[in-house]
Amino acid sequence: MTLRDVDVHNRENLGKPDFIAQDEDPGSITETISGVIFGKTYLWWITAMGLSFGLLSIGMVGFVWLLAKGVGVWGIQVPNAWGFAIVNFVWWIGIGHAGTLISAILLLMRQEWRTSINRFAEAMTLFAVACAGLFPVFHTGRPWLAYWMLPLPNTMRVWPQFRSPLIWDVFAVSTYATISLVFWYVGLVPDLAALRDRAKTLLSRRIYGIAALGWRGAADHWHNYEKAYLLLAGLSTPLVLSVHSVISFDFAVSQLPGWHATIFPPYFVAGAVYAGFAMVLTLMIPLRAIFNLHAYITERHLENMGKVMLVTGLIVGWGYATELFMAWYSGNIFERFMMYNRIFGPYWMAYWGLILCNILVPQIMWSKRCRTNAFWLFFASQFVNVGMWLERYVIVITSLTRDFLVGSWGTYHGTIWDWAVYLGTFGLFLSLIFLFIRILPALSMTELKMISPEGKKTGH
Amino acid sequence: MNSTDTYHTSGLHGLMAEFDDPEKLVAAAEATRDAGYSKMNCYSPYPIEGAWEAMGHKSPMSKLVLLGGVTGCLLGFSFITWTQVIDYPWNIGGRPTFSWPSFIPPIFETTIMFAGLTAAIGMFLVNGLPRPYHPVFNVPAFIRASKDRYFLVIEASDSNFDQTATRSFLQGLEPLEVNDVEE
């Protein structure tokens, strides 16, 4: 099997409209997409970048204050030592998972429509993982000692506890970040070579040239490249499933009511994909409008993403229902109280908010008119973005603040510094996204050429 | 560049034919192979399966990545077992130190890490990259190899290479142009 088999498989027997306008050829694809990079810098880009950097600055202030005063400036306090840091970590990692799903799993499942959106989604994965990684590192309170989480020889002669899900987490997230980065870079190299050959100034030719590693598109190189790319996709697929499963073990391996549940791994993975597709749509819909990319990101792409959101949203809904059922069926008073507390306790607004955002509003995706309409997709995506954050908030906070012993109950609220660093990661994420679309091809030229009519000629 | 009369191959990497259609490139590569040339290469802006099949190229990537994955798995297993069982065993409520099922998640991650890095780094090394200079870049038309043109190069080191005969052979394949590729 080669990449091409994967890409052309559907078009022959489905008879559906194509995922690329039929008057596009390799030349026009190169011109359009490199034109975005070598064209002039628009005022909207400078404005957007400035606003994003402003948000990032708020986060930097938040982190500096945290370093100066300690983690006490966050709202965390025993019994609730996790708070926003873990909520945001899980939320950001989950967003990243859609990128891997699109680039790897849909490739293996021969879904041609992934081609236009995979590069962007992979970039989104990397940036989301970068944002996620900040939280546990700063949550330690001494980020300069974060390397203690790694199994390094040291004067105390101790090693990390490899039986702990928290160490599994370190391995899973660092592997995920590394493999996502190399997968993205391998995909970029032929496009970087195209940019090197189109560059207008010596400096940009040099920079893209160095990054392209001297790629010259030789047939034997392409052969090894395709093999490597498919193997990376095959490796990323179990990896992405393992990452959110391991993250769910952070909760599920504990004894706490509301966390100690076998439904957690699949329910977390589905939630991650759900949130991730919502974020892809959130970013893709404006990008498509601004750069006029309707020839490459068609209504069918939007519709398919809407379908994935609908299905993963229903799996998440099934997860909620299972939690409810198991709390009752277990006959355990602590489990039953946990569920009652979620629904009617002090955090009832967050619970009902997540039901509204994750379960009710996305049902509009049943309607084909909504699935193919950019506005309604964007509308539903915003609810899912908020809803998935609320879901993690409810899981973390309600279980920690009210566990078995009434005497150890507490309350939790994020402080202004919690919000500052959360907003700051939005700034980091958006700044990286805007830099990315300015200096790198946001759509894969190589893969678009393969699904263009000219590229299809040598398909089999 | 202009050396059709003189019979020298020194300083010449090969002859390059340029095509504007991927099917013509595959047909030309097959014809070149059938004419007895073995040292040739095709260049295209995207992967073309027929091109490397015509060249009879075999990719070692699958075996390399398997090797990388097995190495990662064994290293992960032996390192974790060594740290938890031999170098610094902890007695936690009398539980066995060699609790291997709990080592599976981190071993899985080291397996993926080694296999994935082997796939990416190995692919570039097997391809001889990074390599900033290559003779094919000396042909001005080659700038479109990353855009929308397809190239076939017969290398001068091929035992059947003869500058005049090979040139006329390439001309017979109906390319847009045939160029000398200087070293």
Side-chain angles (χ1 to χ4, degrees):
Chain A
M1 189 175 68
T2 66
L3 276 185
R4 179 173 311 285
D5 295 331
V6 173
D7 276 338
V8 301
H9 179 264
N10 280 340
R11 86 189 299 265
E12 280 142 16
N13 38 33
L14 291 182
K16 285 183 177 172
D18 286 281
F19 292 112
I20 185 166
Q22 288 302 290
D23 53 352
E24 295 287 339
D25 61 52
S28 70
I29 290 165
T30 313
E31 292 304 331
T32 311
I33 293 171
S34 57
V36 171
I37 295 158
F38 296 125
K40 63 177 176 144
T41 304
Y42 292 99
L43 188 63
W44 72 260
W45 185 88
I46 296 169
T47 317
M49 186 69 205
L51 289 173
S52 307
F53 198 76
L55 274 180
L56 174 57
S57 309
I58 295 173
M60 288 197 277
V61 172
F63 281 125
V64 168
W65 188 246
L66 178 85
L67 291 181
K69 304 295 274 189
V71 286
V73 301
W74 285 351
I76 50 177
Q77 180 64 271
V78 171
N80 195 319
W82 273 17
F84 268 37
I86 302 301
V87 175
N88 297 342
F89 165 71
V90 180
W91 189 76
W92 274 120
I93 284 274
I95 283 170
H97 282 13
T100 316
L101 186 101
I102 288 169
S103 56
I105 300 182
L106 294 186
L107 177 82
L108 299 178
M109 289 163 77
R110 305 179 167 225
Q111 295 295 308
E112 193 181 325
W113 60 278
R114 66 174 273 288
T115 300
S116 317
I117 55 174
N118 69 332
R119 166 74 45 74
F120 188 79
E122 284 164 29
M124 192 193 79
T125 296
L126 278 178
F127 305 152
V129 172
C131 291
L134 286 173
F135 286 103
V137 168
F138 279 87
H139 193 208
T140 62
R142 293 170 179 78
W144 52 92
L145 298 178
Y147 68 91
W148 283 11
M149 291 187 276
L150 302 173
L152 297 169
N154 57 72
T155 50
M156 291 171 278
R157 288 193 60 235
V158 288
W159 297 102
Q161 176 54 271
F162 278 98
R163 298 170 190 90
S164 162
L166 296 175
I167 285 301
W168 302 349
D169 216 11
V170 172
F171 273 66
V173 173
S174 55
T175 303
Y176 185 51
T178 311
I179 298 302
S180 302
L181 179 68
V182 298
F183 192 36
W184 183 67
Y185 181 63
V186 166
L188 262 175
V189 162
D191 278 8
L192 289 168
L195 292 177
R196 169 198 66 202
D197 296 342
R198 308 275 95 65
K200 293 194 178 85
T201 64
L202 182 68
L203 183 67
S204 67
R205 190 160 67 242
R206 286 270 156 82
I207 292 171
Y208 287 120
I210 289 167
L213 303 176
W215 183 264
R216 54 186 188 272
D220 52 337
H221 292 188
W222 278 124
H223 191 195
N224 295 327
Y225 171 92
E226 284 220 328
K227 274 269 161 62
Y229 197 75
L230 269 178
L231 286 164
L232 277 169
L235 292 166
S236 300
T237 302
L239 175 64
V240 69
L241 300 179
S242 85
V243 172
H244 233 67
S245 297
V246 164
I247 287 172
S248 81
F249 292 155
D250 292 343
F251 298 88
V253 173
S254 77
Q255 305 290 321
L256 215 54
W259 288 10
H260 190 60
T262 48
I263 188 78
F264 262 38
Y267 156 54
F268 264 53
V269 171
V273 174
Y274 189 36
F277 269 83
M279 187 56 88
V280 174
L281 282 167
T282 303
L283 298 171
M284 196 67 83
I285 289 170
L287 185 79
R288 171 178 183 253
I290 291 166
F291 289 114
N292 205 12
L293 295 172
H294 299 77
Y296 306 113
I297 303 167
T298 63
E299 268 184 4
R300 278 192 67 198
H301 289 103
L302 298 184
E303 187 185 356
N304 282 354
M305 286 192 268
K307 283 179 182 166
V308 174
M309 255 173 55
L310 180 64
V311 170
T312 49
L314 291 173
I315 299 174
V316 169
W318 176 258
Y320 297 158
T322 307
E323 282 187 320
L324 261 174
F325 174 76
M326 289 311 294
W328 168 76
Y329 185 69
S330 68
N332 180 313
I333 58 164
F334 298 109
E335 287 285 333
R336 286 188 176 181
F337 173 75
M338 174 278 297
M339 216 57 225
Y340 177 85
N341 181 45
R342 275 191 192 176
I343 301 172
F344 303 111
Y347 299 97
W348 65 271
M349 276 172 60
Y351 184 80
W352 290 104
L354 88 89
I355 296 293
L356 172 76
C357 295
N358 281 353
I359 306 296
L360 298 179
V361 174
Q363 300 308 318
I364 63 169
M365 291 293 114
W366 286 102
S367 146
K368 190 178 170 81
R369 203 194 303 162
C370 292
R371 284 201 307 268
T372 51
N373 180 305
F375 171 79
W376 289 112
L377 276 169
F378 193 78
F379 176 82
S381 302
Q382 299 322 301
F383 277 88
V384 176
N385 285 333
V386 175
M388 286 309 295
W389 189 87
L390 287 173
E391 179 201 300
R392 278 67 176 253
Y393 185 82
V394 165
I395 290 172
V396 171
I397 308 304
T398 58
S399 286
L400 279 177
T401 50
R402 293 190 165 183
D403 63 358
F404 305 96
L405 205 59
V406 181
S408 68
W409 284 4
T411 52
Y412 170 83
H413 291 289
T415 64
I416 187 172
W417 301 109
D418 280 297
W419 287 105
V421 294
Y422 184 40
L423 281 178
T425 52
F426 273 99
L428 175 64
F429 182 72
L430 291 173
S431 302
L432 290 169
I433 290 277
F434 284 121
L435 274 180
F436 163 69
I437 60 177
R438 191 70 197 85
I439 61 177
L440 289 170
L443 308 183
S444 169
M445 293 189 263
T446 307
E447 291 192 26
L448 283 174
K449 287 171 194 175
M450 287 162 67
I451 63 162
S452 72
E454 184 172 320
K456 297 257 187 189
K457 285 203 273 187
T458 44
H460 280 287
Chain B
M1 294 279 266
N2 216 343
S3 53
T4 34
D5 299 330
T6 48
Y7 194 79
H8 72 86
T9 50
S10 65
L12 188 70
H13 172 73
L15 285 169
M16 176 190 275
E18 180 181 359
F19 301 91
D20 61 356
D21 187 294
E23 284 176 319
K24 284 186 194 157
L25 174 75
V26 173
E30 284 165 358
T32 309
R33 176 201 56 202
D34 295 341
Y37 293 102
S38 56
K39 293 195 171 166
M40 59 157 165
N41 213 335
C42 303
Y43 298 88
S44 56
Y46 50 86
I48 295 175
E49 202 180 344
W52 65 71
E53 279 176 358
M55 288 161 54
H57 181 255
K58 299 264 183 293
S59 174
M61 289 316 296
S62 311
K63 282 174 194 147
L64 267 183
V65 173
L66 178 67
L67 197 68
V70 170
T71 309
C73 183
L74 292 178
L75 272 180
F77 176 78
S78 35
F79 178 72
I80 293 170
T81 305
W82 177 69
T83 60
Q84 307 296 301
V85 182
I86 297 160
D87 190 53
Y88 203 122
W90 288 76
N91 184 341
I92 303 167
R95 290 182 184 82
T97 48
F98 184 57
S99 56
W100 62 268
S102 60
F103 302 160
I104 290 173
I107 292 171
F108 174 79
E109 304 300 342
T110 57
T111 307
I112 298 283
M113 179 78 109
F114 275 70
L117 289 178
T118 309
I121 299 171
M123 184 271 287
F124 288 117
L125 292 183
V126 167
N127 284 347
L129 301 174
R131 178 174 177 180
Y133 173 78
H134 192 274
V136 290
F137 290 120
N138 290 333
V139 180
F142 191 75
I143 199 135
R144 289 180 77 172
S146 61
K147 188 183 178 191
D148 56 356
R149 287 287 160 84
Y150 310 86
F151 298 86
L152 175 72
V153 172
I154 299 180
E155 288 168 20
S157 54
D158 193 300
S159 52
N160 289 334
F161 187 84
D162 173 289
Q163 206 170 348
T164 323
T166 303
R167 175 177 276 273
S168 60
F169 167 75
L170 283 174
Q171 292 286 9
L173 300 170
E174 296 175 1
L176 299 174
E177 223 181 350
V178 177
N179 280 303
D180 291 347
V181 184
E182 305 281 333
E183 279 291 353

